[in-house]
Amino acid sequence: LAAEVEREEDHVLAGDRASWISEGRADYRLIDLRGEKEFAEYHIPTAENLVLSALPEAALSPRDRIVLYSDGGIHAYQAWMLLRAKGFRNIYTLKGGLDEWKDAVLFPSIADNASAADRARFERAAAMARFFGGTPRQGGAQAGAALPTPAMPKVEAPVAAAAAGPAKP
């Protein structure tokens, strides 16, 4: 298990997860491990709510591809270890958790003095942010510097594009 973690085989990136959702892929289960109140306030589209303490009795199949997330990630990593100990093999965590989802997907930012390559990457990230109801941010000497975080978007499932085949973690 330690070698898998070291090779970073245990997680997926927020941008990759956003692409899976926007493409309409459905060959995974996205599990939000936060409490019911936090889940109701905002969750990643397509996510199911399942608190960590309920995980041992949850109706999960070892054949399922499962992606776990929490706020910053610690509960997701704990859940990953728990499920791996129970024999699950297709378990991943969302690297950086919901915090990374907010930064990378909902509210990407770019500095005023960004390079052309950075601007091109930002335009792709900005399009994804708008798809999920987020707000791309521009300005400041450094990306994210002194830029206020906009309000969280209303929780609703985005309209997915045509399915693009099986997802790869």
Side-chain angles (χ1 to χ4, degrees), residues 25-155:
R25 294 183 177 178
D27 61 342
Y28 65 92
R29 291 179 69 180
L30 181 59
I31 308 292
D32 184 322
L33 296 162
R34 299 172 307 136
E36 188 176 313
K37 180 181 178 207
E38 292 85 2
F39 182 83
E41 288 173 3
Y42 180 81
H43 58 271
I44 297 173
T46 73
E48 306 169 43
N49 189 217
L50 182 63
V51 295
L52 185 60
S53 61
L55 198 57
E57 276 67 42
L60 300 173
S61 168
R63 293 183 308 272
D64 291 339
R65 177 178 295 164
I66 300 170
V67 179
L68 307 160
Y69 77 91
S70 55
D71 282 320
I74 192 68
H75 282 146
Y77 297 120
Q78 292 167 339
W80 182 87
M81 290 296 290
L82 176 67
L83 290 173
R84 285 303 307 260
K86 290 183 72 167
F88 287 71
R89 295 292 172 251
N90 291 318
I91 305 297
Y92 306 91
T93 60
L94 182 63
K95 187 174 184 179
L98 188 60
D99 293 340
E100 180 65 18
W101 174 267
K102 291 175 188 176
D103 291 342
V105 176
L106 294 179
F107 310 119
S109 61
I110 190 167
D112 286 336
N113 60 352
S115 69
D118 287 340
R119 289 201 176 280
R121 279 189 294 276
F122 176 73
E123 286 307 315
R124 288 188 299 276
M128 188 65 73
R130 287 187 288 275
F131 178 83
F132 285 101
T135 307
R137 301 175 293 162
Q138 297 184 34
Q142 297 176 342
L147 296 175
T149 300
M152 294 298 289
K154 181 179 177 184
V155 179

